[in-house]
Amino acid sequence: MRRILSLYVMCLSVVALMAQQWTGTWATATETPFAKNDVPQTLSLEGNTLRQVVHVSLGGDVLRLELSNAFGDELLEIKSVYIADATEGEHVDAKTAQYLKFNGRQDVSINPHQVVFSDALKYKLKPLQRLSVTIHYGSMPKTLTTHRGSRTTSYIMQGECKPKDTFRVGEKLEHWYTIAALDVQTDGTVPCIAVLGNSITDGRGSTTDAHNRWTDVLAEQLEGRVGVLNLGIGGNCVLQGGLGQPAVDRFDRDILAQRGVKTLVIFEGINDIGGSKQVERTGRQLIRAYEKFTQKAHQAGMKVYLGTITPLGNTGYWSHYHEACRQTVNEWIRNNKDVDGLLDFDQLISDSQQPTRIRAEWQYDWLHPNAEGYRQMGTYSATILKNN
């Protein structure tokens, strides 16, 4: 009887272990540097230490980190990586610091155009906390893999900085490098939302280090019970041109390759319309791209929500032709029966008296919302998505 009971307990343990899966708690869309100030100005990363801060959504007891050399043409050598609870500025709670390992080693080399995942690490990650990631680099590729719009200060120190050492800041910059995603282990039932977007999702007009993009607000409104992954890139387009790889080229990597995503929000297209010289054609192509994204996401088992394109008025994108295209695309989005839901951001933030413009009290530069506008977007999104 005792042997049967032991076998039963072992079977339950195996089933529980098999049910565990990785679910994203934070992610960013990687890209190449665009402008001169997208790379460190006074200190190279090579041989030095970079400390970065991320704002997670889900908590968990086991995590792993994805590091990327997606845009590098040479080997990226990393001597060590440790995580810790972030405190103020460049400081961390050293008591919480733990080194990550890669196949049991602290150092790892990432081949050109590849990513690596750390080994699973037991760590008490709290929902909605700020986590510090400290990387000591070896040799670097000429082209860095970055995310320009981190809206979060990163810190470089010359040489190596161990957890209990004083981090002596040699340079500050508002970009992320090498880090691509953070996953936590879940039982597979935890929801996760990925957002495909441009600078409005990336958070232009939000407050540096305040973590108040609309996706941050969404995660907070959902009380850290849902993974929220921000895959927005400033200046990004769906079809072609813009900054970063267009969404049609990055969709598989930035959306389908994320772990545990159950819902996709597509909220992108304003740069395609605003920069177009053939607006009718652009509108048709955007609709076809949305249809293709939706089909791919549904095939991957995701629900799909479409976000309407927000106003162009008072911006360099404005013309009657471009506005007509925006209205046409938005009307298609509102009447689409093939998706699972709608986020009508246009209706939410447009001025009821001048609907071609964002409400004055919610705008940053008329194209992007300000912090209050993002708060409104995140709160509204939570009411729609909380039961998805």
Side-chain angles (χ1 to χ4, degrees):
M1 184 68 179
R2 186 174 297 172
R3 180 178 296 178
I4 293 173
L5 182 60
S6 297
L7 287 171
Y8 178 70
V9 171
M10 286 177 63
C11 288
L12 288 178
S13 299
V14 170
V15 169
L17 184 62
M18 290 176 65
Q20 295 294 302
Q21 71 169 43
W22 293 110
T23 301
T25 181
W26 172 87
T28 193
T30 54
E31 53 183 322
T32 57
F34 172 71
K36 183 179 179 181
N37 62 359
D38 291 340
V39 298
Q41 301 295 292
T42 58
L43 283 179
S44 167
L45 293 178
E46 187 162 294
N48 294 327
T49 301
L50 174 68
R51 179 164 289 171
Q52 306 175 88
V53 178
V54 301
H55 179 227
V56 307
S57 48
L58 294 170
D61 296 325
V62 180
L63 58 76
R64 68 175 186 178
L65 182 68
E66 180 185 3
L67 302 177
S68 177
N69 189 24
F71 297 97
D73 292 324
E74 298 88 26
L75 195 70
L76 167 60
E77 294 181 346
I78 292 175
K79 295 182 178 181
S80 67
V81 183
Y82 61 85
I83 59 173
D85 290 359
T87 54
E88 293 300 319
E90 72 276 16
H91 303 294
V92 301
D93 182 353
K95 297 189 300 296
T96 66
Q98 290 193 57
Y99 279 92
L100 297 175
K101 292 188 177 180
F102 304 84
N103 291 323
R105 296 172 57 94
Q106 283 193 2
D107 64 310
V108 63
S109 295
I110 310 176
N111 289 323
H113 315 297
Q114 299 297 314
V115 302
V116 298
F117 290 90
S118 71
D119 300 342
L121 174 72
K122 290 184 178 180
Y123 190 93
K124 294 293 184 182
L125 186 73
K126 297 178 287 294
L128 304 172
Q129 78 161 80
R130 294 182 303 121
L131 185 74
S132 172
V133 181
T134 303
I135 303 175
H136 182 206
Y137 287 97
S139 63
M140 301 289 297
K142 293 177 183 177
T143 302
L144 301 178
T145 297
T146 181
H147 182 84
R148 293 171 294 112
S150 66
R151 321 291 169 201
T152 305
T153 306
S154 298
Y155 309 90
I156 306 175
M157 173 178 158
Q158 195 164 17
E160 181 180 8
C161 183
K162 295 181 178 180
K164 293 183 179 180
D165 294 344
T166 298
F167 195 100
R168 302 185 185 282
V169 179
E171 183 176 350
K172 298 180 183 181
L173 60 171
E174 294 175 19
H175 312 295
W176 285 315
Y177 300 96
T178 310
I179 54 176
L182 186 73
D183 298 336
V184 292
Q185 210 167 73
T186 71
D187 64 4
T189 65
V190 178
C192 182
I193 300 167
V195 182
L196 181 72
N198 49 42
S199 55
I200 298 175
T201 294
D202 204 21
R204 178 153 179 87
S206 63
T207 311
T208 298
D209 294 325
H211 308 287
N212 57 0
R213 311 165 190 83
W214 73 265
T215 52
D216 293 305
V217 177
L218 172 62
E220 290 167 0
Q221 290 287 318
L222 297 176
E223 300 178 328
R225 298 176 182 176
V226 178
V228 179
L229 309 181
N230 184 326
L231 286 313
I233 294 179
N236 197 236
C237 286
V238 173
L239 303 170
Q240 59 186 359
L243 303 181
Q245 290 179 307
V248 292
D249 294 332
R250 67 186 182 93
F251 186 83
D252 289 5
R253 180 190 68 236
D254 288 349
I255 300 299
L256 298 184
Q258 301 297 335
R259 279 68 59 190
V261 174
K262 292 180 169 58
T263 300
L264 166 64
V265 174
I266 302 170
F267 176 43
E268 185 163 11
I270 197 168
N271 294 324
D272 297 82
I273 293 173
S276 176
K277 295 181 180 179
Q278 297 178 303
V279 289
E280 289 186 13
R281 179 184 178 188
T282 296
R284 291 193 299 270
Q285 290 177 330
L286 277 175
I287 289 170
R288 286 198 293 271
Y290 298 150
E291 290 174 331
K292 186 174 182 180
F293 293 157
T294 299
Q295 182 182 33
K296 282 186 168 186
H298 279 163
Q299 289 173 347
M302 302 176 190
K303 292 182 179 180
V304 178
Y305 285 70
L306 289 178
T308 51
I309 298 171
T310 48
L312 299 171
N314 272 17
T315 77
Y317 283 167
W318 167 260
S319 82
H320 289 290
Y321 299 105
H322 292 84
E323 175 64 16
C325 180
R326 186 180 78 92
Q327 293 290 352
T328 297
V329 172
N330 278 351
E331 191 65 18
W332 178 85
I333 289 173
R334 291 185 178 109
N335 291 289
N336 191 316
K337 304 301 182 185
D338 294 326
V339 296
D340 302 278
L342 167 71
L343 294 173
D344 203 338
F345 291 129
D346 173 44
Q347 184 179 54
L348 174 72
I349 69 172
S350 63
D351 188 328
S352 60
Q353 302 302 312
Q354 295 179 298
T356 61
R357 301 180 184 179
I358 298 177
R359 290 174 57 164
E361 67 271 30
W362 292 354
Q363 65 84 27
Y364 170 73
D365 58 5
W366 296 107
L367 186 65
H368 303 90
N370 58 19
E372 177 58 22
Y374 286 129
R375 189 183 73 79
Q376 295 288 337
M377 291 174 65
T379 301
Y380 161 75
S381 301
T383 65
I384 304 295
L385 295 168
K386 65 182 178 182
N387 295 318
N388 75 88

